[in-house]
Amino acid sequence: LRPNVSIVRHQSNQAPPTSLSPVTVPMRMVVALASPTNLPKLILSEERASIEEALNTHPESVQAIFCEPATHKNLSEALVDAPIFHYAGHAKMEQTASKIFGLLEGKGKLYLDDGDGEYDPMSTEQLSRLLSEAKTRLAFLGGCETARRDDRNVWSSLAAHLLNAGLFAVVGMQYKIGNKNATAFADKFYQ
């Protein structure tokens, strides 16, 4: 363990969350599952089953809507008044500029499906806009590097950008995470 690497990080948002009306029950939870065929295969059926099992203990509280495979189109259609968003799939901090003085500069992206099995990146700004319009309060980003920052900007990660856009809470991964570990983490989180 290195002392300069945090396992858990809390980052306050610059703009306080907007006040939202009370949530109606059952709350809508949109679960986006994406494993494009031109990226390493993910077994998302286990994560889906663990989420369904955890939510079945309180069916009156949360109603899950599954987008599988998650595409830009079906995700934007499903994200209507959804206080909870869960993403399971590939993600990465993509380098957007060459290293400046040895510092990585980039932005996080989710890799959705294009409908034909190929990956279709969703930018930080696109996801932020979708979740803001859906009045999402909690985002669980179960993809690699969804909370990784570049070396220059603390708001460069997907997670931090969503906080800055007004979400109340975002759970993300700073580093690469294995499929089994992501499933186990999501399972315990929702229990």
Side-chain angles (χ1 to χ4, degrees):
L1 292 173
R2 295 181 299 187
N4 62 336
V5 175
S6 62
I7 301 301
V8 176
R9 179 173 68 227
H10 171 269
Q11 184 167 329
S12 299
N13 37 359
Q14 283 182 323
T18 57
S19 59
L20 297 173
S21 58
V23 175
T24 57
V25 205
M27 287 184 284
R28 288 174 44 94
M29 174 179 170
V30 173
V31 181
L33 304 169
S35 184
T37 56
N38 57 339
L39 293 174
K41 183 166 177 58
L42 298 174
I43 303 168
L44 299 176
S45 57
E46 294 175 11
E47 188 159 347
R48 178 181 176 144
S50 70
I51 290 170
E52 288 177 317
E53 185 179 328
L55 297 181
N56 281 340
T57 59
H58 301 288
E60 69 285 351
S61 300
V62 181
Q63 172 197 12
I65 292 92
F66 290 90
C67 288
E68 187 176 16
T71 65
H72 282 264
K73 183 178 186 279
N74 68 17
L75 189 55
S76 64
E77 290 171 357
L79 277 168
V80 176
D81 195 25
I84 305 170
F85 172 70
H86 179 98
Y87 175 78
H90 291 287
K92 185 175 182 176
M93 167 61 78
E94 285 192 349
Q95 189 172 340
T96 56
S98 61
K99 288 190 174 188
I100 300 169
F101 304 113
L103 302 176
L104 170 70
E105 187 173 13
K107 285 190 175 183
K109 290 190 177 182
L110 298 183
Y111 292 115
L112 301 181
D113 194 289
D114 70 353
D116 293 322
E118 302 287 312
Y119 74 84
D120 188 10
M122 176 174 270
S123 72
T124 303
E125 293 80 12
Q126 289 171 312
L127 180 63
S128 175
R129 189 182 75 257
L130 275 177
L131 297 182
S132 180
E133 290 171 0
K135 300 177 187 145
T136 302
R137 298 171 186 217
L138 166 67
F140 184 105
L141 304 174
C144 297
E145 301 181 354
T146 52
R148 181 179 174 192
R149 304 174 183 169
D150 69 16
D151 297 329
R152 298 182 53 147
N153 180 0
V154 296
W155 300 105
S156 59
S157 78
L158 277 165
H161 192 85
L162 293 177
L163 283 173
N164 200 29
L167 271 72
F168 286 36
V170 180
V171 176
M173 311 300 156
Q174 291 183 71
Y175 303 102
K176 291 183 180 181
I177 183 168
N179 195 178
K180 288 184 180 184
N181 292 336
T183 299
F185 184 71
D187 179 50
K188 294 299 180 193
F189 181 82
Y190 289 112
Q191 284 182 20

